[in-house]
């Protein structure tokens, strides 16, 4: 669970309240926050527990500016969760996570997000932070200009 707040509106004392406005929190949830300076925002999130790091979306937001294209699409699909960050130029358009137990569901969310943002996949390179099986890459190549898996 996470949300992004513009840095100008962020109050550390209200972080839990802000997150509880968009997600159902348990009384035992530990709420933390981290600045995302490249987008002038603060990521407020629930810590996974002692020793747990930042959520995957933080790393996508951190690395998104390194995508060289104007339309930037960076994804991670691990353990049934699709994390996705989308930007145009320096403007962040979307940062979200979706339950996607299979790759078909992950693709659905990717295409749905692009459609709602009115971005054309045929002129967009999709970047993944990890390798994907060749069959998944080939499936993406049918729609995207290019597929980049690290």
């Amino acid at each position: 669970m996470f949300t992004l707040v513009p840095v100008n509106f962020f109050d550390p004392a209200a972080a839990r309240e802000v997150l509880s406005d968009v997600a159902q929190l348990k009384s035992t949830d530990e709420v933390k926050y981290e600045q995302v300076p490249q987008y002038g925002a603060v990521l407020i999130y629930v810590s996974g527990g002692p020793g747990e790091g930042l959520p995957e979306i933080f790393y996508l937001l951190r690395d998104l500016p390194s995508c060289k294209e104007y339309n930037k699409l960076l994804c991670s699909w691990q353990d049934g969760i699709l994390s996705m960050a989308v930007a145009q130029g320096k403007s962040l358009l979307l940062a979200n996570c979706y339950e996607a137990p299979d790759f078909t569901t992950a693709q659905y969310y990717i295409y749905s997000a692009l459609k709602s943002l009115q971005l054309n996949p045929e002129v967009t390179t999709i970047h993944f932070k990890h390798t994907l099986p060749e069959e998944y890459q080939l499936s993406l190549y049918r729609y995207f200009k290019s597929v980049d898996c690290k």
Side-chain angles (χ1 to χ4, degrees), residues 1-2 19 25-26 28-33 44-56:
M1 289 182 275
F2 67 87
L19 188 56
L25 300 178
K26 297 180 225 160
T28 56
D29 286 338
E30 183 180 357
V31 175
K32 295 183 176 183
Y33 54 88
I44 304 172
Y45 63 97
V46 171
S47 174
E52 289 289 320
L54 292 159
E56 182 69 9

Side-chain angles (χ1 to χ4, degrees), residues 5-31:
V5 176
V7 71
N8 295 342
F9 296 106
F10 177 68
D11 174 9
R16 184 177 191 82
E17 180 183 346
V18 169
L19 188 56
S20 70
D21 286 345
V22 296
Q24 194 167 24
L25 300 178
K26 297 180 225 160
S27 61
T28 56
D29 286 338
E30 183 180 357
V31 175

Side-chain angles (χ1 to χ4, degrees), residues 36 38-39 57-66 74 129:
V36 185
Q38 59 272 36
Y39 294 110
I57 197 69
F58 175 81
Y59 300 104
L60 294 181
L61 292 169
R62 180 195 68 193
D63 297 342
L64 189 60
S66 67
L74 183 56
K129 286 195 57 79

Side-chain angles (χ1 to χ4, degrees), residues 102-119:
D102 54 67
F103 196 67
T104 301
T105 304
Q107 287 182 99
Y108 166 80
Y109 285 119
I110 292 166
Y111 301 134
S112 180
L114 291 178
K115 183 177 180 180
S116 72
L117 296 170
Q118 298 181 344
L119 297 178

